Amino acid sequence: MINFDDEIKKFQPSIEVDEAEDAIYNIDTTDVTAVIDRIVKEITEK
């Protein structure tokens, strides 16, 4: 029978997962509300 506690202790995420996680967290994304604020500001300035 599989001892899940032992298997969890031995678990090592693959390198690709770590690289993907870094890529996802390091992306500088603009929030939707920031985009809307910028659009509204541009419209009201004209």
Side-chain angles (χ1 to χ4, degrees), residues 2-34:
I2 297 175
N3 185 338
F4 289 103
D5 291 330
D6 288 339
E7 294 300 321
I8 299 267
K9 290 176 187 174
K10 294 188 290 185
F11 174 75
Q12 294 291 322
S14 69
I15 295 172
E16 294 86 15
V17 171
D18 289 336
E19 290 174 358
E21 185 179 52
D22 290 341
I24 291 168
Y25 287 123
N26 290 330
I27 293 176
D28 183 26
T29 57
T30 305
D31 189 66
V32 172
T33 55

